[in-house]
Amino acid sequence: MWSFSNWRRRRTLARYPVAPEVWQRIRQRLPILDGLDDTQDQQLREACIFFLQAKHLTPLSGVELDDEQRLFLAAQAQLPLLNLGDLNWYQGFHEIVLYPDDFISPQRHRDASGIEHEWDGEHSGEAWQQGPVILAWPGVMASGDWDGYNLVIHELAHKLDMLNGDANGLPPLHGNMRVTEWARVMQSAYDGLNRQLDHDPDAETSIDPYAAEDPAEFFAVTSEYFFSAPDLLHSAYPEVYEQLKAFYRQDTLARLQALQQDNPAYKGHHHSHH
Ligand code: ZN
């Protein structure tokens, strides 16, 4: 059936093609996309094209941004939305500002005094609906592997969380999910992590202790793990994994395990954070 929006989609795809060899390089740079089937691969590539048309990427001085780098960012931004349908999940912003500073490193990311936290604060108020996403470029470049760190997914999870109000760890759930169940599972895992850190601030927690900061950070950090270390998340908090699986409508653990089964040498998480 002909429709204007379909026609416009086709026209956009034709106007901004992604060369197969460029997409191939993106796939190689992003192990967290390994195991997607051909349909998902094409869907993701097209979603990247629309994303880059809809969002303005603003590199500050010191950030070199070419088409391939833009695609590298877009592919990570679109992975969480892969099975979420045509809803405009990223309607809460239209700009991504890229900082050259390398002070948000995977290590500093856990630090409660890091800039990312300040940014969350700025946007938890009235500006949340129109505020840009701010990403430190070195953090973007460090993302994409199966290592429990993904700055792009972390920040965009905050945006999903903010779709129904302030960031509080509760994004708009699907009709087949229950808010009470989500709240029970998330709260109990969050409380457990906090108890562990109260007991010993230097405890070797199974996920990044930054998740204990507040419920919004718990959702953002566990979303990061869901897409970049699903095995760690599942073994630490299986019920949290199941809730995120229902929310994102993806089974990242099954995808990772299939890769490992096909190739026993396939890397899992690096566990470099602890
Ligand atoms: Zn955060």
Side-chain angles (χ1 to χ4, degrees):
M1 193 178 78
W2 192 88
S3 81
F4 181 68
S5 67
N6 273 341
W7 173 79
R8 213 167 49 180
R9 284 173 67 90
R10 291 293 127 204
R11 195 183 58 165
T12 300
L13 292 175
R15 192 175 282 183
Y16 304 98
V18 174
E21 62 274 18
V22 172
W23 184 248
Q24 197 49 44
R25 280 201 298 276
I26 296 298
R27 290 295 310 258
Q28 280 161 7
R29 290 174 62 189
L30 291 170
I32 56 167
L33 303 184
D34 288 355
L36 295 180
D37 65 29
D38 290 349
T39 307
Q40 293 169 322
D41 177 81
Q42 187 188 344
Q43 208 184 318
L44 186 71
R45 184 157 38 93
E46 294 184 355
C48 287
I49 295 171
F50 296 120
F51 178 80
L52 290 173
Q53 290 310 304
K55 306 301 177 197
H56 192 259
L57 269 49
T58 307
L60 298 190
S61 169
V63 177
E64 296 292 333
L65 198 63
D66 59 19
D67 284 351
E68 188 171 324
Q69 304 291 47
R70 298 159 72 83
L71 211 49
F72 179 74
L73 195 164
Q76 297 179 78
Q78 286 300 313
L79 176 63
L81 305 191
L82 195 58
N83 293 339
L84 294 186
D86 280 341
L87 270 175
N88 192 3
W89 290 88
Y90 291 154
Q91 60 188 272
F93 67 100
H94 52 255
E95 184 181 20
I96 299 180
V97 182
L98 300 163
Y99 278 54
D101 315 83
D102 60 7
F103 48 81
I104 298 184
S105 70
Q107 287 74 35
R108 288 294 297 275
H109 166 73
R110 293 187 239 170
D111 188 341
S113 64
I115 188 170
E116 183 206 337
H117 188 70
E118 292 169 21
W119 173 79
D120 290 342
E122 279 170 30
H123 287 82
S124 58
E126 58 190 318
W128 68 267
Q129 261 178 323
Q130 292 302 324
V133 172
I134 296 168
L135 299 172
W137 189 241
V140 176
M141 297 298 283
S143 302
D145 212 339
W146 296 107
D147 59 3
Y149 174 78
N150 196 295
L151 180 63
V152 179
I153 291 173
H154 179 108
E155 290 308 334
L156 293 177
H158 282 315
K159 285 294 187 186
L160 298 178
D161 188 354
M162 290 170 186
L163 278 171
N164 55 0
D166 288 346
N168 58 1
L170 175 67
L173 302 182
H174 310 301
N176 64 341
M177 299 178 69
R178 300 180 67 98
V179 172
T180 48
E181 183 65 0
W182 176 279
R184 180 189 69 75
V185 166
M186 293 300 187
Q187 189 71 47
S188 126
Y190 174 76
D191 288 346
L193 183 62
N194 272 287
R195 267 196 308 274
Q196 195 183 358
L197 289 165
D198 288 347
H199 180 69
D200 173 11
D202 299 320
E204 289 249 329
T205 52
S206 39
I207 66 168
D208 191 333
Y210 189 59
E213 201 58 23
D214 59 46
E217 294 306 338
F218 190 82
F219 171 64
V221 170
T222 52
S223 290
E224 257 182 289
Y225 276 77
F226 182 79
F227 288 102
S228 67
D231 46 353
L232 273 183
L233 179 64
H234 186 267
S235 66
Y237 302 109
E239 288 191 302
V240 170
Y241 180 87
E242 291 302 325
Q243 289 295 313
L244 293 178
K245 179 179 157 189
F247 176 66
Y248 289 111
R249 293 176 176 152
Q250 296 187 43
D251 192 347
T252 47
L253 179 63
R255 183 156 58 84
L256 177 59
Q257 285 175 337
L259 289 162
Q260 289 168 333
Q261 205 153 22
D262 287 351
N263 174 12
Y266 189 85
K267 59 194 157 188
H269 54 86
H270 297 171
H271 223 95
S272 56
H273 292 271
H274 304 291

